[in-house]
């Protein structure tokens, strides 16, 4: 028989799914795949439940229900002082993943180059390849994950159609500095290209400087596609409600891709997310406060066990270098042994590379109940003792 598509045939199932399956198999505590172990706000879920029962449950407008598009536009103004026309500049998607697929399909042609910053969120590479474009990799390297001007400049060429920027960045937990954002903006302007901005962790930033969308930099308003996700902002990852903000001439082809990929997203979930987005500032502040406390809860004990814990400025992940522990093997082997022997699942960082990445880093997800984090730390301490004598 003729071969199936070469991009998707034979690639591995995502590392998140694999680690979750392993965690279940070994009854391990799952600090691998990124999802909270407590569902998001009850009032938001209540709106979804009520709307499900009251209906209508038929196709909502293709661009998204007006209330949610308006709420996305309002939040752009409220948090970032961006003036957004909800009718022509906002699209609702089935998660940020669909938003990324729509944006890449709509902007990129075979022969184009797309810049990807490694470590990269796993779906980017396959989507770019499936669009027929050539990925051009730029690495930010641990421990500080800084973006070097020379390296980034070398990645741009006359063929560059877009750069994909994940800020705050999964898995490095990096928040790009204003200088780094300015550098990216300058190069996008110089080389006339777009920026697809995956900002799903926009409301999970731990410093006093709040998230700064690339879209707010001079000249970038009409070049950026800004992507958010209710999964992260409301701890409802299974809902898969995402949203795109982009200038009308970009949103128009992106919406055309959306109409043939999913067409719409469940209406009750959209209405509930619209309600959620209008929550008072204290909702957003407490989301960050809770997660900051959880980051701190696990970071110091991991450090005390001998991990080198890297800075975590945003997201709900902390990355650690396990090389000081003296483990003989790479990150995949480390995670395999850890899930089997310690009963704790994490994610190997090398899975976030299209090229060869570092081999001794693992990512722990900390958006879990405090008692679960304590239990995981206890199990790891016991395992550390066993590793030391083995
Ligand atoms: N981008 C990043 C950086 C992510 O970590 C995730 C995972 N949640 C997504 C996109 C996908 O988001 P969604 O579940 O809304 O599709
Ligand atoms: N974004 C989540 C993570 O980084 C996983 C989402 C998924 O499993 N596709 O862990």
């Amino acid at each position: 028989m003729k071969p199936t598509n070469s991009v998707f045939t034979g690639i591995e199932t995502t590392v998140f799914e694999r680690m979750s399956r392993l965690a279940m198999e070994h009854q391990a505590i799952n600090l691998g795949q990124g999802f909270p172990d407590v569902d998001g706000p009850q009032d938001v879920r209540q709106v979804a439940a009520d709307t499900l029962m009251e209906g209508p449950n038929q196709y909502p407008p293709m661009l998204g229900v007006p209330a949610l598009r308006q709420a996305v536009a309002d939040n752009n103004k409220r948090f970032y002082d961006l003036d957004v026309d909800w009718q022509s500049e906002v699209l609702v998607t089935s998660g940020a993943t669909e938003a990324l697929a729509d944006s890449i399909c709509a902007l990129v042609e075979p022969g184009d180059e797309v810049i990807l910053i490694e470590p990269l969120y796993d779906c980017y590479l396959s989507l770019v390849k499936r669009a027929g474009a050539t990925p051009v990799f730029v690495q930010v390297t641990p421990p500080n994950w800084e973006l070097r001007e020379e390296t980034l400049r070398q990645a741009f060429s006359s063929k560059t159609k877009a750069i994909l920027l994940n800020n705050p960045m999964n898995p490095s937990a990096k928040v790009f500095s204003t200088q780094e954002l300015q550098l990216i903006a300058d190069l996008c302007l110089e080389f006339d290209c777009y920026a697809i901005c995956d900002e799903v962790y926009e409301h999970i930033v731990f410093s006093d400087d709040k998230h700064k969308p690339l879209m707010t930099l001079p000249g970038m308003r009409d070049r950026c596609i800004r992507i958010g996700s209710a999964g992260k902002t409301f701890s409802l990852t299974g809902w898969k409600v995402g949203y795109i903000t982009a200038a009308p001439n970009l949103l128009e082809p992106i919406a055309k891709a959306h109409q043939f990929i999913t067409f719409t997203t469940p209406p009750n979930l959209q209405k509930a997310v619209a309600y959620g987005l209008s929550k008072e500032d204290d909702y957003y502040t407490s989301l960050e406060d809770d997660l900051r406390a959880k980051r701190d809860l696990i970071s110091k004990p991991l450090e005390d066990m001998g991990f080198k814990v890297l800075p975590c400025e945003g997201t709900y992940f902390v990355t650690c270098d396990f090389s000081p522990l003296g483990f003989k093997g790479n990150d995949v082997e480390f995670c395999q042994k850890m899930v089997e022997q310690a009963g704790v699942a994490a994610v190997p960082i090398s899975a976030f590379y299209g090229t060869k990445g570092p081999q001794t880093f693992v990512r722990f997800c900390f958006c879990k109940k405090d008692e679960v984090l304590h239990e995981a730390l206890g199990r790891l301490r016991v395992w550390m003792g066993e590793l030391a004598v083995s």
Side-chain angles (χ1 to χ4, degrees), residues 95-97 100 121 124 166 170 198 200-201 229 232 237 240-241:
T97 311
L100 287 156
Y121 181 61
Y124 300 169
N166 178 207
N170 176 12
D198 177 346
V200 299
Y201 300 102
S229 169
K232 309 292 167 275
T237 59
K240 300 293 284 188
V241 178

Side-chain angles (χ1 to χ4, degrees), residues 14 16-17 32-35 121-122 170 201 232 317 352 363:
T14 84
F16 311 117
E17 176 76 16
Q33 190 177 29
F35 61 90
Y121 181 61
D122 67 343
N170 176 12
Y201 300 102
K232 309 292 167 275
F317 306 112
F352 296 84
R363 187 194 83 175

Side-chain angles (χ1 to χ4, degrees), residues 7-28:
V7 173
F8 292 112
T9 306
I11 58 171
E12 279 186 303
T13 302
T14 84
V15 69
F16 311 117
E17 176 76 16
R18 278 186 282 133
M19 290 316 301
S20 286
R21 284 183 202 166
L22 273 179
M24 262 188 273
E25 202 178 300
H26 295 281
Q27 282 151 28

